[in-house]
Amino acid sequence: KAGVTQTPRYLIKTRGQQVTLSCSPISGHRSVSWYQQTPGQGLQFLFEYFSETQRNKGNFPGRFSGRQFSNSRSEMNVSTLELGDSALYLCASSLSGSHEQYFGPGTRLTVT
Amino acid sequence: GNSVTQMEGPVTLSEEAFLTINCTYTATGYPSLFWYVQYPGEGLQLLLKATKADDKGSNKGFEATYRKETTSFHLEKGSVQVSDSAVYFCALSDYTGNQFYFGTGTSLTVIP
């Protein structure tokens, strides 16, 4: 079974631009979560989607948004990029309520 | 609220040394507890888990016991190898199994 895939793996953007990251979960997994990983803050939860609905949300500004499609693939969008948004963005999928997440390799976003 | 606190690194050990990485948690209800490992350039991989008090999770020589009385889930390995060099994250999932909380990670370097 294929694992969680994320595209692109690396991205360089300029302040003020927007960016869209994509995540394809493991087949059959309908829950997708997004995390931001930075050296200073560690792993911070962004949001979780299940059946195209945002079910949980972390403490991030409205510039960070996401969505999930009917095939469970998910995208997250960051608008008006700031230097502090430079991070590794990780996606994880799970069977709902399974207490076990599987992570993708991440997208490394650099904002200049 | 829910949170995880783990010992700060970095930790440097010689090959075959004993490893302990401390992790304590705060949670409402009965969380499940996890250790994840992240190798350079990769996403997180589940190392082991425990779903109820006194459970012991184990994998690849690593062990951790769910201690409700001390709200702890310390990671141990009797004899580390160079290939164990990675960042280790302690995590918990809430009672729904849909939202996860991570510690800040502990970097381990094993030298020959």
Side-chain angles (χ1 to χ4, degrees):
Chain A
K1 193 181 263 192
V4 178
T5 58
Q6 293 187 245
T7 56
R9 291 292 310 275
Y10 302 91
L11 208 47
I12 300 175
K13 290 287 189 179
T14 304
R15 262 185 307 176
Q17 289 185 313
Q18 74 164 22
V19 67
T20 299
L21 313 182
S22 180
C23 171
S24 293
I26 291 172
S27 177
H29 287 192
R30 294 167 62 193
S31 172
V32 174
S33 297
W34 288 90
Y35 296 86
Q36 181 194 66
Q37 185 179 16
T38 58
Q41 299 294 319
L43 223 64
Q44 293 188 285
F45 172 73
L46 281 155
F47 27 67
E48 184 238 351
Y49 284 86
F50 177 77
S51 289
E52 302 179 64
T53 300
Q54 187 181 89
R55 192 161 59 174
N56 292 294
K57 188 177 189 308
N59 189 26
F60 275 81
R63 300 185 297 106
F64 292 82
S65 63
R67 60 178 174 167
Q68 186 180 34
F69 301 95
S70 58
N71 62 357
S72 296
R73 190 176 70 85
S74 177
E75 289 181 347
M76 67 163 280
N77 184 276
V78 187
S79 62
T80 319
L81 283 165
E82 302 176 0
L83 294 178
D85 297 333
S86 295
L88 181 67
Y89 289 88
L90 292 165
C91 164
S93 75
S94 65
L95 293 169
S96 182
S98 72
H99 294 274
E100 200 165 309
Q101 289 193 322
Y102 296 84
F103 283 80
T107 295
R108 171 75 61 186
L109 171 65
T110 301
V111 182
T112 61
Chain B
N2 297 323
S3 66
V4 175
T5 303
Q6 64 181 101
M7 65 183 275
E8 294 197 13
V11 174
T12 302
L13 294 173
S14 297
E15 207 165 21
E16 299 183 2
F18 184 84
L19 168 72
T20 300
I21 301 178
N22 291 336
C23 171
T24 57
Y25 67 90
T26 302
T28 52
Y30 302 96
S32 293
L33 301 175
F34 306 84
W35 278 99
Y36 282 84
V37 59
Q38 186 178 33
Y39 298 101
E42 299 182 12
L44 277 67
Q45 300 174 24
L46 178 63
L47 181 59
L48 54 83
K49 67 176 183 180
T51 57
K52 61 183 188 299
D54 300 324
D55 266 3
K56 177 185 280 189
S58 61
N59 186 26
K60 299 180 182 179
F62 291 90
E63 292 183 339
T65 301
Y66 190 144
R67 301 281 187 205
K68 197 171 188 321
E69 63 277 11
T70 54
T71 62
S72 65
F73 192 57
H74 304 321
L75 181 68
E76 296 182 336
K77 186 175 186 183
S79 176
V80 294
Q81 305 301 311
V82 172
S83 58
D84 294 327
S85 298
V87 180
Y88 293 81
F89 291 89
C90 184
L92 70 83
S93 68
D94 68 2
Y95 71 96
T96 68
N98 297 324
Q99 188 157 359
F100 287 69
Y101 302 83
F102 286 82
T104 53
T106 301
S107 174
L108 169 67
T109 301
V110 180
I111 54 177

